[in-house]
Amino acid sequence: MTTTTRRAAVTATTTGVLALGLLLAGCTSGGAGGGDDAGSGGSSAGSSGSGSTASGEGTFDDLASCDDVGSALGGVVDGLELRDDSTFSGDQANCQWATPTTEATDAADVTAIVVLAQRQEFSADDISAQTSQIEGTQGVESVDDSRVGAFGGQAFSQTVTQQGITASASTILSPHGLIAVTATGAGDAAPLSTDETLDAAYGLFD
């Protein structure tokens, strides 16, 4: 498989696993949830949160561009370049980083990090109802995380392997919107575990 083809496969798998975030976005805006056919690998539920509990209220108002998102992610995107098709407009974002073509001398070198964000206000009842719906989605597991619970949110994780590409994703639904972080790479393990993508997603909140 060529490097170009592998980059396309990484993008395709990342897009598939992002169905978790897109599904949440559809539910939160009143759309039908539907099923997720991206995979059946589920993550290990039970990150209790290695950091302190949240001091804020689950907002991410400090983020106004993909550059802001990249800075907040810190070392997670080091060595990767922001793709031209990334967008941050109004209350929605789709920020994508991938291994630079000049550095991906082998197909197995290609990795990608994608962040999906949407600002929207939700009540506790909204979050509870959406959690019940998402828990029935194939391959998606809810995660009990004390940091997220501190601001009344809910976390979800998913792991998918397709065509020799593995992706791990975590989504946090907060009273003020959602953030999903996906890490994709070649082989049987994603470049970040679901615990690490959850840490990254949590770190994007104020």
Side-chain angles (χ1 to χ4, degrees):
M1 184 179 290
T2 66
T3 300
T4 299
T5 304
R6 178 68 73 176
R7 286 172 64 87
V10 167
T11 301
T13 302
T14 302
T15 301
V17 79
L18 274 176
L20 169 58
L22 292 171
L23 176 58
L24 281 165
C27 288
T28 55
S29 59
D36 180 6
D37 60 2
S40 59
S43 69
S44 59
S47 169
S48 61
S50 57
S52 60
T53 55
S55 58
E57 298 179 350
T59 64
F60 44 101
D61 292 338
D62 287 345
L63 304 178
S65 69
C66 286
D67 287 336
D68 288 345
V69 174
S71 295
L73 287 171
V76 170
V77 295
D78 283 355
L80 305 180
E81 63 181 10
L82 184 65
R83 291 173 56 91
D84 292 339
D85 50 355
S86 297
T87 59
F88 200 123
S89 177
D91 293 330
Q92 295 185 335
N94 187 339
C95 304
Q96 307 175 25
W97 291 264
T99 305
T101 304
T102 55
E103 296 180 13
T105 57
D106 184 88
D109 294 335
V110 180
T111 63
I113 303 292
V114 177
V115 174
L116 179 73
Q118 176 177 308
R119 292 188 178 100
Q120 190 172 338
E121 297 300 306
F122 308 116
S123 68
D125 287 343
D126 291 334
I127 292 176
S128 177
Q130 289 151 19
T131 296
S132 296
Q133 182 171 356
I134 296 303
E135 285 177 337
T137 304
Q138 183 180 13
V140 177
E141 294 187 4
S142 59
V143 178
D144 183 14
D145 188 284
S146 60
R147 299 167 300 178
V148 178
F151 54 67
Q154 179 61 54
F156 305 89
S157 290
Q158 181 183 23
T159 300
V160 172
T161 299
Q162 293 177 342
Q163 302 177 16
I165 306 295
T166 300
S168 64
S170 292
T171 298
I172 295 176
L173 179 62
S174 88
H176 305 290
L178 70 86
I179 287 179
V181 176
T182 301
T184 311
D188 297 330
L192 299 176
S193 67
T194 51
D195 284 346
E196 289 171 322
T197 55
L198 180 58
D199 287 344
Y202 174 79
L204 295 173
F205 287 91
D206 298 340

